[in-house]
Amino acid sequence: MISIGSPVWLIPAVFVAVVGVLVVWNAAGKGRASDQVRRLAGMFKVFALFLLAVCLIEPVWSGVHPRPHSNLFLVLTDTSQSHTRWSKEDSNDATLEADFKQALQPTPESWLDRLGQDFEVHQFAFDRRVRTVREFDDLTWTGEASALGAALQSVGSRFEERHVGGIVLLSDGNATDLSADNLSETLGENVKLPPLYPVQFDVKSSLPDIAIVSVSVSETPFEDAPVSLQCDVRIHDLSMQKVSSSDLLVECCLVDSDGKTVKTERQAIGDPDATLPFRFQFRPIKTGVAFYRLQVTPLELGGETDTPLPESTLANNSRIVKVNRGSEKHRILYVCGRPNWEFKFLRRSVEEDDQIDLVGMIRVAKREAKFDFRGRDGQSSNSLFRGFKAETDEETEKYDEPVIVRLNTKDADELRAGFPKDPKGLFGFDALILDDVEAEFFNRDQLTLIEKFVSERGGGLLMLGGAECFHTGGYEKTPVADALPVYLDRAQFPESSARLTLDLTREGWLQPWVRLRPTEADEHDRLKTMPAFQTLNPTQGIKPGASVMSTVSDANGESWPALVTQSYGRGRSGAMLVGDLWRWQVTRSEEQPEDLPKAWRQTLRWLIADVQQRVGVEMTTASDVAPEAVRVNVRVVNEEFLPLDNAQVQIRMSGPVTLTETEAQLDDSTRSEPSAETVASDGIVLNAEASLEEPGVYTAVFVPKEAGAWTVEAEVATGEGEKLAADKAGWIYEPQVEEFQRPGINDALLTKLAEQTGGEMVDAEDLDDFVSKLQSKPMPVVEAWTMPLWDQPLVFLIVLCSLVGEWGLRRANGLP
């Protein structure tokens, strides 16, 4: 900005300039030289007079610049491993690490030295954590993760009250805790960053790359595929290979923790920059938490053997996958009003199932009136039970009590008094099946208990279509009716109930636990060969939110619901309205598969899926502690499944397992030892503390120091000293998955960071010019500077040169 120092001299200066121009111009018209020479000489003198006139008003050139060493400038360098992998396009030896070292070379006249002349420079390096650096010469690029978001948050909060002019960022942008899509959510609105200046290097991978970009695992009650795994593999720059993409394929292997190959799939590569989906369906042999490794390899088709292709890095070619099938059996209570074939086939179907424990409670005789004594000499005991054991008549079932047979109970006292009368007895089961038993079999409190079993405990309830269930069993206007997915109003029976054919609805086709065949065509063939049923509890009233999975049709083509399900409270309930499914098995020919046992197993797995246990482990990230930290939440409930507050919870962390060696080969030296934790011989033990936000929840935070698969086991003891069944969970820490996710530099993230903070991208070759231009950029602390025009030697030199040039031109051309 230019200002006038002596405004009073403005009019005299204008007068001098005008008069001088007129006099000089008039004198320039005289003489014997040419017009061009005379005018040029006059212009030299006019220009000199004009500068002298301007100096009379004392013009002052003023502005602001950063006050030396009053502003801070931060240099943030990423030291993660990914900078050692990607090579320059014109050299296979030069990596981004080498470019960083060259840019950070502490030589005189370097951009770092010039930056330190005007600013107070603070140097930092980060990978998993940010740290102060004195000299960049000592840096090693060995970090397992690139926590760029946490590093920016850390330096932003640390220097929030200081005057920071900007941050020079040296990173490839492949952050493990930050992406261009969740930038605002990760950094947060409370952290205000100074202008960010990412340094841009001309680096590109010289080789193609194959990477696993996503893995999803789902466990379903579908018996043929209880575990479904999908793996998406991205192909990057395969066009750089000289061979045709039609001669290339990608092999994906699934390996278990023992090193055995579970499945292998191959897909041909059509598009050199495509994403290939791989799908695996398998049934784990072992229960509990299991880990698998996915490994992908690009291959070139050859003669006898296929040759693996070279890649930019192999760090993104594998992933660890967790599968949790549970180690405890789910107990299901089956209550039936009379012996029937349904229980026979249901029990056979789960005899060898390692996840289901079926407990039977079968009534073989109803209770009779107290005054109707059948014994001799006044005996009231039921003769059906005399003679089996040496029991007295007082201990033998009487005629005024129902005769109940208990099967597969855990001890001699379980269900001895009949159906449970309190939550302690019933809530120990995960699901309840009612078959051909009327509502009068239960008292009012027991009916309410069944409803709470579903809504509060989160159990599963399935009512079968026996003759004394639903409406005919008198369940309308009872609490059980509230939990069922159908209304129990009286419905009209089918005109011809002797032949009822079953079919699946649209919802049934979409549920894998309802289907029994791998393809739609096979499923249609199965439905055509199914026998006709004859027993049905008809209903037309389906509750809102319920789903009809299958229907039956009578001879006139009228359709009736056969299997209806719904979610109710914390649990789920189902209504199997067909009462003679056993016909499905007895009419089967030897050539046909055993569909009824498979259908029962899948239905029972659906019934117990996601049922809450007394101890449950949940894993969440604890980014507020550290980017790699995990928070373990253990939810504990009492016998009535209410939050338990006075428990002692210990969490045992075992691992890590990398699956390159088995768990038996690991020793204590390979396990991390965080502070404030007790290291046991078989893992790390954490003492969980009660949560202040939610009752019955106990939390602990674990920060791993090594990558791999971790097993988490929660051991709980109540205030009375009772030890509850432990719950296990799995957790995988693989920072290299995000670290090596994309080859090269993530320009999108770096550019967005610069734009949102008011900075700009800086080319590595222009760092010197960038430091020079910082004098003209806005800074927190600045100072004013002034420069009078008359005091500048350049102005005096220009006036002198103009006058000397005019004099020399006149003398050379013979002018006076």
Side-chain angles (χ1 to χ4, degrees):
M1 183 177 65
I2 298 177
S3 60
I4 299 176
S6 300
V8 294
W9 284 93
L10 181 60
I11 295 178
V14 173
F15 177 77
V16 170
V18 172
V19 171
V21 168
L22 293 177
V23 171
V24 172
W25 196 257
N26 182 51
K30 300 178 181 179
R32 291 175 295 177
S34 63
D35 293 342
Q36 293 181 351
V37 173
R38 286 185 280 109
R39 289 195 181 98
L40 184 59
M43 290 177 62
F44 275 120
K45 186 174 289 188
V46 167
F47 183 69
L49 290 174
F50 177 76
L51 283 179
L52 292 174
V54 169
C55 290
L56 289 176
I57 61 176
E58 297 183 9
V60 178
W61 190 10
S62 62
V64 294
H65 62 207
R67 181 184 297 173
H69 300 286
S70 296
N71 297 284
L72 277 68
F73 226 90
L74 312 181
V75 180
L76 195 60
T77 305
D78 191 347
T79 58
S80 57
Q81 295 178 9
S82 63
H83 300 83
T84 64
R85 303 298 178 98
W86 317 124
S87 301
K88 279 188 175 181
E89 189 174 9
D90 57 351
S91 173
N92 292 333
D93 299 327
T95 62
L96 196 56
E97 174 190 2
D99 287 341
F100 279 16
K101 289 181 178 179
Q102 183 179 358
L104 297 172
Q105 196 72 22
T107 59
E109 302 299 327
S110 66
W111 68 275
L112 269 175
D113 183 67
R114 296 179 58 187
L115 187 65
Q117 295 175 6
D118 297 320
F119 298 91
E120 181 182 341
V121 179
H122 290 254
Q123 302 175 156
F124 298 93
F126 73 94
D127 38 61
R128 290 203 301 180
R129 293 177 179 84
V130 63
R131 59 193 183 277
T132 304
V133 176
R134 291 184 177 273
E135 299 292 340
F136 287 119
D137 289 343
D138 300 331
L139 291 183
T140 56
W141 278 260
T142 58
E144 293 182 343
S146 178
L148 176 58
L152 293 176
Q153 283 184 327
S154 177
V155 297
S157 59
R158 184 184 304 183
F159 296 97
E160 186 177 5
E161 304 298 330
R162 304 286 299 275
H163 303 298
V164 181
I167 301 176
V168 177
L169 174 64
L170 285 82
S171 173
D172 60 0
N174 294 318
T176 57
D177 64 342
L178 194 64
S179 67
D181 298 331
N182 66 350
L183 192 59
S184 301
E185 295 80 358
T186 305
L187 294 179
E189 299 179 356
N190 298 328
V191 179
K192 183 173 178 58
L193 294 175
L196 201 63
Y197 300 99
V199 181
Q200 191 172 18
F201 294 87
D202 184 16
V203 173
K204 185 179 181 181
S205 175
S206 60
L207 294 173
D209 185 64
I210 305 293
I212 300 177
V213 294
S214 64
V215 176
S216 60
V217 180
S218 62
E219 299 180 62
T220 69
F222 187 23
E223 186 173 84
D224 290 340
V227 176
S228 299
L229 187 150
Q230 177 165 337
C231 165
D232 292 334
V233 179
R234 187 193 64 236
I235 304 169
H236 182 76
D237 277 348
L238 195 60
S239 57
M240 301 174 67
Q241 290 292 320
K242 296 181 180 180
V243 294
S244 173
S245 60
S246 60
D247 297 330
L248 304 177
L249 55 85
V250 175
E251 180 182 79
C252 185
C253 295
L254 181 65
V255 183
D256 63 12
S257 58
D258 297 327
K260 298 179 181 179
T261 301
V262 179
K263 280 193 175 182
T264 300
E265 287 191 8
R266 289 186 171 188
Q267 288 193 40
I269 300 175
D271 188 350
D273 291 287
T275 298
L276 300 179
F278 288 87
R279 294 179 177 86
F280 297 96
Q281 292 182 343
F282 64 99
R283 183 182 179 87
I285 299 177
K286 301 177 181 178
T287 59
V289 179
F291 297 103
Y292 296 81
R293 177 173 289 279
L294 280 169
Q295 183 74 36
V296 295
T297 307
L299 300 174
E300 180 183 355
L301 298 178
E304 298 181 356
T305 60
D306 298 330
T307 306
L309 293 177
E311 297 185 62
S312 297
T313 178
L314 299 178
N316 53 14
N317 286 37
S318 64
R319 284 271 191 105
I320 300 177
V321 180
K322 172 184 67 72
V323 175
N324 190 356
R325 297 187 63 215
S327 57
E328 296 291 332
K329 279 193 172 185
H330 294 273
R331 307 191 73 221
I332 300 178
L333 176 59
Y334 176 90
V335 181
C336 186
R338 61 182 177 86
N340 58 27
W341 284 16
E342 211 70 80
F343 179 69
K344 170 185 176 180
F345 294 118
L346 177 60
R347 186 180 182 185
R348 284 182 179 179
S349 66
V350 297
E351 280 180 344
E352 299 181 357
D353 197 309
D354 54 3
Q355 291 185 280
I356 297 176
D357 191 6
L358 185 65
V359 179
M361 183 177 172
I362 314 299
R363 183 181 61 186
V364 297
K366 294 184 177 181
R367 61 184 176 183
E368 300 181 9
K370 291 184 178 181
F371 58 83
D372 187 7
F373 299 110
R374 302 293 180 90
R376 295 176 297 174
D377 300 329
Q379 293 180 351
S380 61
S381 61
N382 193 333
S383 58
L384 287 174
F385 284 87
R386 287 203 305 271
F388 290 99
K389 295 182 181 179
E391 297 174 336
T392 63
D393 288 347
E394 288 75 10
E395 295 175 343
T396 305
E397 282 81 351
K398 299 179 180 180
Y399 283 107
D400 60 346
E401 296 177 355
V403 181
I404 296 175
V405 176
R406 298 171 295 140
L407 301 172
N408 198 30
T409 56
K410 62 182 180 181
D411 53 43
D413 295 328
E414 187 178 33
L415 303 178
R416 187 177 184 86
F419 189 82
K421 300 179 177 59
D422 53 24
K424 180 180 179 180
L426 183 59
F427 285 13
F429 296 94
D430 298 308
L432 174 64
I433 300 177
L434 302 180
D435 183 19
D436 210 358
V437 57
E438 71 281 358
E440 291 183 355
F441 177 79
F442 310 98
N443 58 39
R444 188 70 183 180
D445 293 338
Q446 289 174 326
L447 292 172
T448 303
L449 183 62
I450 293 175
E451 189 274 338
K452 291 183 177 181
F453 172 78
V454 183
S455 61
E456 297 180 6
R457 186 257 186 268
L461 172 64
L462 178 64
M463 182 174 286
L464 304 184
E468 296 186 6
C469 285
F470 299 103
H471 172 75
T472 56
Y475 282 94
E476 69 274 13
K477 298 182 181 179
T478 66
V480 175
D482 298 335
L484 293 175
V486 296
Y487 292 110
L488 301 185
D489 299 335
R490 180 181 296 275
Q492 182 180 1
F493 278 84
E495 295 183 4
S496 178
S497 60
R499 184 171 181 81
L500 300 173
T501 58
L502 187 138
D503 197 4
L504 300 184
T505 64
R506 181 177 180 274
E507 290 83 358
W509 281 102
L510 296 176
Q511 295 296 326
W513 65 273
V514 179
R515 305 192 306 267
L516 301 178
R517 294 288 187 270
T519 64
E520 183 178 353
D522 293 340
E523 190 72 11
H524 280 295
D525 294 339
R526 177 189 70 83
L527 293 172
K528 291 178 182 179
T529 58
M530 284 188 66
F533 301 107
Q534 299 179 11
T535 304
L536 178 71
N537 266 286
T539 181
Q540 294 287 7
I542 307 300
K543 292 183 179 180
S547 300
V548 180
M549 299 297 172
S550 62
T551 59
V552 290
S553 301
D554 59 14
N556 298 327
E558 187 175 359
S559 179
W560 303 80
L563 176 60
V564 187
T565 64
Q566 75 168 3
S567 297
Y568 183 77
R570 295 180 178 177
R572 58 183 57 177
S573 63
M576 174 61 74
L577 298 159
V578 176
D580 54 347
L581 287 177
W582 53 268
R583 297 181 187 274
W584 193 357
Q585 181 72 6
V586 298
T587 59
R588 181 188 68 88
S589 63
E590 294 183 359
E591 295 79 11
Q592 293 177 330
E594 295 191 4
D595 289 328
L596 180 59
K598 182 177 179 180
W600 274 127
R601 286 191 294 270
Q602 295 187 173
T603 302
L604 295 185
R605 287 196 188 98
W606 166 83
L607 196 62
I608 61 177
D610 303 324
V611 173
Q612 181 184 1
Q613 303 301 320
R614 291 193 61 183
V615 179
V617 177
E618 300 175 357
M619 315 288 291
T620 60
T621 58
S623 56
D624 56 325
V625 178
E628 70 276 15
V630 61
R631 180 172 283 105
V632 185
N633 296 324
V634 181
R635 192 177 303 274
V636 185
V637 295
N638 59 16
E639 294 177 344
E640 298 183 4
F641 279 74
L642 298 176
L644 184 63
D645 290 329
N646 61 340
Q648 296 179 353
V649 180
Q650 283 190 337
I651 300 172
R652 190 180 305 276
M653 310 290 295
S654 303
V657 178
T658 60
L659 297 194
T660 55
E661 52 186 356
T662 61
E663 291 188 20
Q665 294 172 317
L666 291 176
D667 56 17
D668 294 336
S669 62
T670 62
R671 299 187 176 103
S672 56
E673 301 183 3
S675 59
E677 296 165 354
T678 303
V679 180
S681 59
D682 54 348
I684 300 171
V685 178
L686 309 174
N687 293 317
E689 297 181 356
S691 173
L692 300 178
E693 300 178 356
E694 187 176 356
V697 176
Y698 302 82
T699 66
V701 176
F702 176 68
V703 181
K705 295 182 179 179
E706 298 180 53
W710 294 81
T711 301
V712 183
E713 182 178 5
E715 300 175 353
V716 179
T718 65
E720 293 77 18
E722 177 190 3
K723 291 187 176 181
L724 304 182
D727 187 31
K728 290 185 177 181
W731 172 60
I732 299 170
Y733 174 58
E734 288 186 300
Q736 68 274 15
V737 169
E738 295 296 332
E739 178 70 14
F740 296 96
Q741 191 57 243
R742 72 169 61 238
I745 297 178
N746 189 355
D747 289 325
L749 176 61
L750 296 177
T751 302
K752 193 169 184 179
L753 279 171
E755 291 176 352
Q756 289 197 1
T757 58
E760 63 182 45
M761 296 291 290
V762 179
D763 194 277
E765 298 179 355
D766 299 332
L767 279 171
D768 293 333
D769 295 338
F770 163 73
V771 174
S772 301
K773 294 178 181 178
L774 288 177
Q775 295 293 327
S776 59
K777 292 184 178 296
M779 293 292 167
V781 181
V782 296
E783 64 180 5
W785 56 268
T786 58
M787 187 175 62
L789 190 61
W790 178 252
D791 293 342
Q792 299 303 311
L794 181 60
V795 176
F796 174 76
L797 183 61
I798 292 175
V799 172
L800 182 61
C801 290
S802 298
L803 294 178
V804 172
E806 187 269 343
W807 176 81
L809 191 61
R810 285 191 298 104
R811 297 297 296 174
N813 290 275
L815 295 175

